Amino acid sequence: MDWSHVGLNCADQKATEEFYTRYFGFARARVVSLGDATQIVFLRRGDAYLELFASGSGPARTAQGDGPQEPGRMRHLAFQTDSVDAFLAELGDAAEVTLGPLDFDDFVCGWRTVWVRDPDGVIVEVSQGFEDDRSHDKDGA
């Protein structure tokens, strides 16, 4: 089984597409026309896809912090960067910071994270320095 994509409901598909292409390096991979000017936009970055659906309404509740805590709701999307500070400088005021930046050096040396809100209210985590705990590898390497 391979990972496929995350589907996002968008108040403004164009604004959401611009956000993820400009700040996260996604590119349009396909547009599927559903008739009557309705479309689904697929964005791709490497093996990761986002599927953007037009939605006629705003978020049910505005997510805070690192995302919704209720079961059955996606908490956040997450991306890795070389520098959280450089990402925030490029982002400017294009998105609201909902939490952080926070340092998690007590867990992983150099791990730093910030959470921002995308145009549709989805919380997006951006981290630097996270590494897997290799003790969980099957061969222990």
Side-chain angles (χ1 to χ4, degrees):
M1 187 71 65
D2 293 322
W3 179 259
S4 180
H5 65 268
V6 172
L8 299 174
N9 292 319
C10 309
D12 181 338
Q13 275 180 312
K14 185 176 180 175
T16 302
E17 181 176 3
E18 167 67 19
F19 181 77
Y20 286 101
T21 56
R22 181 172 182 188
Y23 300 110
F24 294 90
F26 282 83
R28 186 178 275 205
R30 178 177 297 275
V31 175
V32 176
S33 176
L34 302 176
D36 70 349
T38 304
Q39 62 184 14
I40 301 171
V41 177
F42 287 86
L43 303 180
R44 179 180 183 182
R45 180 163 190 241
D47 291 335
Y49 284 88
L50 298 176
E51 183 180 20
L52 308 182
F53 292 88
S55 175
S57 62
R61 276 180 269 161
T62 302
Q64 301 296 326
D66 69 343
Q69 311 274 321
E70 299 89 6
R73 291 190 65 198
M74 179 182 70
R75 192 162 182 140
H76 55 251
L77 297 176
F79 297 91
Q80 292 284 329
T81 186
D82 291 334
S83 170
V84 166
D85 292 331
F87 167 77
L88 288 172
E90 180 183 349
L91 186 66
D93 63 357
E96 173 191 359
V97 172
T98 61
L99 183 62
L102 301 177
D103 294 315
F104 296 106
D105 286 322
D106 290 345
F107 305 104
V108 176
C109 184
W111 183 12
R112 182 170 165 81
T113 302
V114 67
W115 291 264
V116 300
R117 189 185 323 279
D118 86 356
D120 299 298
V122 173
I123 302 298
V124 181
E125 174 185 341
V126 178
S127 293
Q128 71 184 45
F130 177 85
E131 296 178 2
D132 288 348
D133 178 353
R134 304 300 289 180
S135 69
H136 297 284
D137 290 350
K138 289 181 182 178
D139 60 7

